[in-house]
Amino acid sequence: MRPATEVFSEWAQIGKDVGMENGHSAAVSEIIHSAMAHVEISESGFSAIDAGCGNGWAIRLLAQRDDCVSAIGVDGAPMMIANAKQIDPGGIYIQADLENWTPSKPVDLVHSMEVIYYLKDIPGFLSKIRDEWLKKGGVLAFGIDHYFENLSCHDWAEKVGVQMAMYSELEWREMVENAGFEIVDFFRAAKGENWAGTLAIVALAP
């Protein structure tokens, strides 16, 4: 098995990052819509981080909002960050190991799409988001396609050659709650006739 950041850097070099945007945009729109209903927006606006931002498309989606004052994209794949900076030279994109990186100040919203199950220590990362990334009462909103109930994903790790954690919907719920979050929305986004949908979780930090 190869490191996910290495594989995704290669994907970025051959343009697969655009396909990822096209494939995930419907689910991300639903997830962000749900999350923003719970974000406490101050007079100055809200701040956000996208964990595993790829070429930065979700960050640019958030930055288009009039009430977004800061949006930071972080990704471990060097070429994904290179693509993000090329597309959006004025944006803030950081190449870093998600599990070891800490923002300079906490934010109101942490978003992540199709990333968390690649990490080595998922409970530890969730706790880090709670303690170091989010303000009190901040919102964590993430989506994953690789979960037990989605039968079509069970051979992805072998196909891609990358280690992927496989958990059920209940196990994901328990992990988030055990990290101290209060789940406020739990649903399948962009569900289709032949697609189980993206498992979407929106939760509040204590």
Side-chain angles (χ1 to χ4, degrees):
M1 293 291 185
R2 300 169 62 198
T5 52
E6 182 180 302
V7 172
F8 290 137
S9 261
E10 291 178 0
W11 286 13
Q13 287 180 302
I14 60 175
K16 279 192 173 183
D17 54 316
V18 177
M20 294 167 75
E21 174 181 353
N22 294 337
H24 298 318
S25 60
V28 166
S29 293
E30 288 186 40
I31 294 167
I32 289 177
H33 177 76
S34 173
M36 292 309 303
H38 301 280
V39 173
E40 294 185 7
I41 303 175
S42 68
E43 290 185 3
S44 60
F46 75 94
S47 54
I49 293 172
D50 188 17
C53 66
N55 72 10
W57 64 273
I59 281 296
R60 293 188 289 278
L61 183 67
L62 287 166
Q64 289 174 1
R65 295 178 57 105
D66 293 336
D67 52 1
C68 181
V69 294
S70 172
I72 300 170
V74 187
D75 202 290
M79 286 307 301
M80 285 292 185
I81 293 297
N83 284 3
K85 289 181 176 180
Q86 184 176 24
I87 296 167
D88 180 23
I92 304 173
Y93 301 101
I94 300 168
Q95 193 268 311
D97 179 344
L98 292 176
E99 293 182 271
N100 293 314
W101 181 79
T102 302
S104 58
K105 56 183 179 180
V107 298
D108 300 293
L109 169 66
V110 172
H111 170 268
S112 187
M113 178 65 185
E114 277 292 84
V115 173
I116 295 180
Y117 59 77
Y118 291 108
L119 303 179
K120 295 178 181 178
D121 180 8
I122 296 170
F125 182 63
L126 293 173
S127 295
K128 187 178 183 70
I129 290 175
R130 179 200 66 205
D131 294 337
E132 301 178 14
W133 288 36
L134 280 172
K135 297 177 182 178
K136 290 184 178 180
V139 176
L140 167 64
F142 68 95
I144 52 172
D145 291 340
H146 190 260
Y147 59 98
F148 183 77
E149 287 81 1
N150 183 9
L151 301 181
S152 65
C153 78
H154 284 213
D155 61 350
W156 287 1
E158 183 179 349
K159 284 183 176 179
V160 180
V162 174
Q163 187 66 44
M164 304 178 189
M166 172 67 77
Y167 294 108
S168 68
E169 290 179 316
L170 176 60
E171 288 171 321
W172 277 106
R173 177 185 285 275
E174 289 176 343
M175 268 195 290
V176 173
E177 290 178 338
N178 288 341
F181 288 92
E182 176 193 353
I183 294 176
V184 292
D185 209 353
F186 190 97
F187 62 101
R188 293 191 190 182
K191 189 175 181 180
E193 184 177 346
N194 299 309
W195 173 242
T198 296
L199 178 60
I201 302 175
V202 180
L204 298 179

